[in-house]
Amino acid sequence: MSGSYIALSLSMSVFFSTQVLSKSLPDLEALLGQQLNQLPTNTQISTASRIERSSSDSMAITHVVTDKDIRQFNLQSIADIIALFAGVTTRDDSSFIYVGARGIGRPGDFNSRFLFLLDGTRINENLLDAGLLGYENFVDVGLIERVEFSPGASAALYGNNALLGVINIVTKTTSKLRGVNTAVSITNDGAQHARATIGFRSSSGSDSWLSISKTKINAIPYPVLNVPAELIKWQHLNDDESTRLMFSHQRGSLQFQAAGSKRKRIFPDGFSLISQATPELEELTSEAYLFALTFDDTLSEDIEAYFHISTHGNDLERSIPFILPNGDVEFDRPRNSGRWSNLDGQLMFLGLDSHELMVGFDFQKDHRQEFSASSSIPNEFNFEQKNNESRYGLYIQDLWRLTPNLKFQWALRYDNSDFSSARWSPSFSLKYNFAEKHSLLVRHNRAFRVANFLERYANTAFNIDIPKNETIKYNEVSLIQKWTPSLSSFTTLYKANIKNLIHEDFFAPIYFNTPPIRSKGLELGIDKRWHAGMSLVASMAFQRSELEGGFGIANSPKFIGQLRFSVPLGASNFLLSLHSNAVSKRKSFGYQLPAFSSHDASINWQSTNSLFIALGVRNITNEKILEITSDGFIPYVQRRRQIHLSINWSWSND
Amino acid sequence: MTKAIIALCIFISYLPFSYAQGLSENELKAAFLYRFSQFSKWPPPPPDKLSFCVVGNHELYKAVLALFDTQNIQNSSEVIELPSNEQAQLCDILFLSQQNRQQTQYWLAELEHQPILVVADTSEGFRQGAMIGLIADANNLSFRINLTDAKRRGLNFSAHLLKLASEVR
C-alpha cells in the first residue's frame, strides 16, 4: 500500500515538472542561472598561457572550480577549493594549511612550491614565498567566480615558485554581487561566518563592490591525539577569529582592487600548566593587505596590452608565553614583516599569420623583509634581521598554429635577483588534434625556486652556504578527449627530475639541498553531465616520488582519488551534492599515516536568485585522518565530522 | 517514514521551478541571442524585421529557427546561416560561433562602423571586436559587453542588460 502511495507521489512530481518545462522562454536572469546539461564547447582559461584563451586553444590542462561548485559543496576556504583538484592534498595544523601535488608535499614548505594569483596578481608573500589558504587569505570564498589550477611547472611564464602548479583566484563582478549580498553560516563545532557585500554598476558600465566578512571559531577541538585532560578543560580558550575587507572598482580597461585581512589565532599554552593552575594564552596574529591597479585592453587591431602595479604587506606576529624561574610570565614576540611591490607588463602581437606572440616583464621590489623577536626584558632571544631585494623576469611566448590540427608553443624566460644566480627557463608544448575533439598534448617544462629570505637568513646565521636554487624538469604527455557532448576525459602521464630540493635540517634550523628526486605519475579524470542537471566529476592520481637510491619522501601518497556528484531532486530547486576523497597511506618522518576515504554530502535549495540555503555534513563517517604538516613530528587530526548550514541572501532594486 | 517521503515528494513537486534543466548549449545560446535583441537599440530608423545571422554553427542556426517557431516571431525576425561575408551587411545581429582569429577578421572586415550587433562565443572573438561575448564556464553561460565599441557603431543597450553582464568595457 505504502509502495503505491510512493509511486503516486513520484508520478505527480514528474507530471508537475513536465508542466513547468513547457512554459515560455525564461528571462535573461534565469538564463544566466541555467545549468548546462552538456559540456561547453569552449570555456575561458587564463592561467595556463597567462592570457585569456579558449580551452580548446589552451596548451596545458587546467582544472576549474566555479562559484557554483563552491556553493553546492559549501566550501569555506581557498584550501577547501584547492582540495577538489585532481591529485591535490591539503594538510591543516589549525594555524596554517599546506598543499601538496604530484608526489611533493614537503612538510613546512608553506606552499612556496605553488604560485598563487589573485586575478592574475602574484600573492605569495615575500619572506617564505608562502601561499595563504586559510582564513588569513583576504578573499572570502563568496567573492570567488572561479579558481583555476594549472598543474606542473610554469617558470617559463611565471618565474619563481611555479614548480608544482599555478593557482589563480578570479573574483566576481557586480553581475553576481549587485545590490546587497549577504551570507551567514554556522557549524556544529562552533564556527560562525558572516559576509556582507554591496555592489553597484553605473549606466556607463563601471563596476564597484565592497565586501566585509568575519569568521569566528570558538572552542576548537585540539587537532592532536592524546590531549591531556588538564588541557582539554581549557579548550574553550582555543579560538580563531578573522576579518576580511575587499574593494573592487573597474571602469573600462582599468581595475583597482584593495584588500585586507586580519586573523587572530589564540590557544592555551600547555607548558604553562606545568607551573600554574590556569594556562597562559599564546597568540598568532597575521595581517595582510594589497592595493592593485590593472590595465587590460586592445591597443590596436593587432596589439593587446596588460599592465599591472600593486603593493602588498604581510605581517605575522606570535606572542609566546614562558614562565620565569621566579614565577613571572614573560612573552617572547617573534615577528615576520614583509612589504613589496610588483610591476608587470605584457604585450601580445597578433599581426603575424598563425602566430600569437607575447612578450612581458615582471619586477618585484621587496621594500622590507624582516624577522625580529622581542620581549619586555632584553634577553638572548631578541634579534632583528632586515633586508630588501629586487627581482625581475623577462619572458617571451609564441603560439604557432602550424596546421589547423597542430599547434606548437614555446616560451623562454630570464630571471634574476639580488640574491640568486640568473636563470633561463624554457618550455615547449605541442598539441595535435588527432580526431575531432580528441587531442594529444606533449609538454616539456621547467621551474625553479630560489632560496627564500628565511632559508637564506637561517643558513647565514649559522655560517653555512645558502642553498642552491631548486629546479624541476617535467616531461608530460596528455590526452584530452571529448567523447560525446556530455562526456570528456583527460589523462596525463608525467615524469620529473627534481634537483636541489631545499629542505630543513632535522637537528638545526638550517636548510640544505636534498639529493636528486625522481617523480612520476598518472592523472586521470572524467567529467560527465546528464540531461536533468545531474553531473559527475571524478579524478585519480597515481604518483611515486623517490630520492636517488629509492628512498621514499615524506607526505607523498601513491594514490589520490576525488569524486563529485550532483543531482537535482525532482523538479524542485533542491540539489543533492556528494563529494568523496580517498588518499592512500603515506610516510612522514618515520610515521606511517593511514589511508583514508572521507565523504561529504550537502543539500541545497535555491529560490530564484535571491536566496540559497545549503545544509551538509562533512566527513560523514568521521574517518580519522592524520597528517604531518611540519618537522614537529606531530600528527594532526584533519577534518573531523562537521555539520554546516549556510544561507545566502541577496537583494537588488532592479 | 512512508508518509514523510510522500509529503516530501509532493512538497518538492510544488516548489518554484528554476526552469529548464533541458536546454542544450546551442538552445541556450539561441535564447540568449533572442534576449540580447530585446535589450538592444539600433540607430534610427529601427529595422522592420530583425535579421539574425549565424556563422560557423549549423546546430545554433537550427536552434534559433526552432526558437522563432516556438515564440511565434517569424513575422518580426528572420534567421540566416551565412556562408560568406558578402551578406553580412544585411544582418542586424551577427553571431560568430567558435571562429578563430583569421575567420573573425574575415567576418568583421566589411562591418567597420556598421550598426550590427556582433556576438561571439569565445573570449578571443570578444577581444577582437564583438560587442557581446557569450562565454561558457564549466556550468553556465555568461556575457560581457563592449559598450564603447557598441556606441561607436550607434548601438545601445538597456540598463538591465548592462547590469547582468559579467563585465562592461
Side-chain angles (χ1 to χ4, degrees), chain B residues 138-159:
Chain B
N139 295 311
N140 301 83
L141 293 180
S142 61
F143 63 92
R144 305 163 169 192
I145 290 177
N146 188 334
L147 186 60
T148 313
D149 203 30
K151 281 186 170 171
R152 196 166 51 81
R153 291 167 182 258
L155 290 161
N156 219 330
F157 301 121
S158 77

Side-chain angles (χ1 to χ4, degrees), chain A residues 5 13 25-26 34 36-37 41-42 44 52 54 66 173 201 296 301-302 304 529 531 571-574, chain B residues 6 12-18 20-21 23 25 35 98 101 124 127 138-140 144 162 165-166 169:
Chain A
Y5 279 124
S13 300
L25 190 70
Q34 168 80 57
L36 287 169
N37 60 32
T41 315
N42 252 323
Q44 56 180 354
E52 207 167 66
S54 293
T66 65
T173 65
R201 178 168 287 161
D296 183 7
E301 193 181 334
D302 294 326
E304 294 176 4
R529 308 289 167 90
H531 195 67
S572 67
N573 289 357
F574 280 95
Chain B
I6 294 167
I12 286 172
S13 307
Y14 280 97
L15 285 170
F17 188 64
S18 63
Q21 299 295 345
L23 294 182
E25 184 182 356
R35 290 295 185 211
Q98 304 301 320
R101 180 171 174 79
E124 294 91 338
R127 290 203 308 269
N139 295 311
N140 301 83
R144 305 163 169 192
L162 293 176
S166 61
R169 295 198 156 228

Side-chain angles (χ1 to χ4, degrees), chain A residues 321-339:
Chain A
F322 58 93
I323 313 293
L324 298 174
N326 64 3
D328 289 348
V329 181
E330 186 49 61
F331 286 87
D332 189 26
R333 291 192 173 84
R335 184 168 186 265
N336 304 352
S337 181
R339 300 283 183 276

